Amino acid sequence: MNQTGLANSLDVGVITDTALSEVDGERGRLVIRGYELEDLAGRIGFEDVIALLWDGSLPDAAARESIRQALARSRTRAYERLASLGDALARGDAMDALRASVAHLVTNAGEADEGPMLVGAVAVFAAAWSRRAAGLEPLAPDPTLTHSADYLRMMIGRPASDAVDRALGTYLVTIADHGMNASTFAARVVASTGSDAVSAIVAGIGALKGPLHGGAPGPVLDMLDAVGSPDRADAWIEGELSAGRRIMGMGHRIYRVRDPRAAVLEKAIVELERAGVATGKLALARAVEQTAERVLAARHPERSLRANVEFYTAVLLDAAGIARRIFSPTFAVGRVAGWYAHVREQRAIGRLIRPGSRYVGPRRNDPS
């Protein structure tokens, strides 16, 4: 979220009860099924957070392996479908291609493989588009790997180191669910009509495509490239603001303090560097964040514009070898787990979501 997003958001109030996640914007807390994010990220894998979101508790070793195998089977089936997608994956925009490809799926509500099918397909379709965009052929999944490790391997063409796999797994856990954000709301509205899960997930992808929701990590990297070095941060940020342009990765519609996900991802980047993976951008990102926070506070004392999740997402995904053109689909690779959890929860509620609106148009006389 960015400064424009702050200005253009509309409060719609509470539209449902949920047991999935809680966002506390005043204190900077994200709680997933009762666990603080900081107690999960870096300690559990993506398979674990899927179990937590879908089943309500962290899995034991047998349940974790069952989920890993289900995701592996789903990735394999999704790969086998690539040839039948037609021109869906040929689209020039990654999110357009992902949306069109997922729309080809057919699921049946209540079937055990419905959720894994969606999660596996999003990863395979995103990786396949990335390969084709680079002039390469898609790679078949490796069913022996975790979901995060196989996604990265299918994209960059080689196995990830343990350190990089842990970092990407931390990212996927961190962004798996985040309250009633725009894409989750879109998915729940579709689910509330009684429509199928594929339609709900496609709606979520469509919302995530919007630059006010999931589109800022790439521009954050562009910003860091433009700044170049920590000593240029002050002048660059002052220049951008004076020109009426926003600072990407700063500000959030809900958080009044620093986004807790930014702190988790910053820590994951530190762990990457300790493991010998040179990110090349951590020191610069920290300098830009601190400078932007100070300058924005001076210019807009009435607002709290602190780093959001996208700020350090950019640095982490870049360090993992993921091209910026695939950042938003990678967000979907993690968030689809949360979307599907909300679809299931909305199905259980069984009530149509139909918010009201406030009419602000003219009042006219009887035309007769």
Side-chain angles (χ1 to χ4, degrees), residues 41-166:
R43 300 182 181 184
I44 68 170
F46 189 55
E47 287 79 4
D48 298 279
V49 84
I50 285 176
L52 182 59
L53 286 169
W54 295 0
D55 302 326
S57 60
L58 290 171
D60 58 19
R64 181 183 302 110
E65 178 61 16
S66 177
I67 293 170
R68 190 196 66 75
Q69 291 181 12
L71 293 178
R73 290 192 297 270
S74 296
R75 293 195 303 274
T76 297
R77 289 197 296 269
Y79 178 79
E80 292 168 351
R81 293 183 64 96
L82 290 180
S84 67
L85 295 181
D87 66 350
L89 279 178
R91 302 186 182 211
D93 179 85
M95 291 298 281
D96 284 346
L98 182 61
R99 182 185 60 205
S101 299
V102 172
H104 281 72
L105 299 174
V106 177
T107 63
N108 295 308
E111 288 193 357
D113 67 345
E114 182 184 47
M117 176 194 291
L118 292 162
V119 173
V122 169
V124 169
F125 296 163
W129 182 91
S130 181
R131 295 280 294 178
R132 288 183 176 176
L136 302 169
E137 286 299 311
L139 292 178
D142 182 342
T144 68
L145 298 178
T146 65
H147 194 66
S148 59
D150 203 23
Y151 173 61
L152 193 56
R153 186 197 62 83
M154 287 188 294
M155 187 180 305
I156 66 176
R158 62 182 184 278
S161 68
D162 290 343
V164 170
D165 182 27
R166 283 195 302 273

Side-chain angles (χ1 to χ4, degrees), residues 16-45:
T16 192
D17 294 328
T18 181
L20 297 173
S21 63
E22 178 185 15
V23 181
D24 185 336
E26 296 298 325
R27 292 188 289 174
R29 296 172 62 238
L30 171 57
V31 178
I32 307 292
R33 287 281 197 182
Y35 292 96
E36 298 279 350
L37 173 64
E38 292 86 347
D39 294 332
L40 296 175
R43 300 182 181 184
I44 68 170

Side-chain angles (χ1 to χ4, degrees), residues 41 206 242 303:
S242 295
R303 296 180 181 178

Side-chain angles (χ1 to χ4, degrees), residues 171 174-175 252 259 261-262 265 307-314 331:
Y171 170 72
T174 298
I175 54 91
H252 193 276
D259 189 331
R261 298 169 299 172
L265 297 182
N308 61 43
V309 64
E310 293 168 330
F311 199 95
Y312 286 97
T313 288
F331 197 128

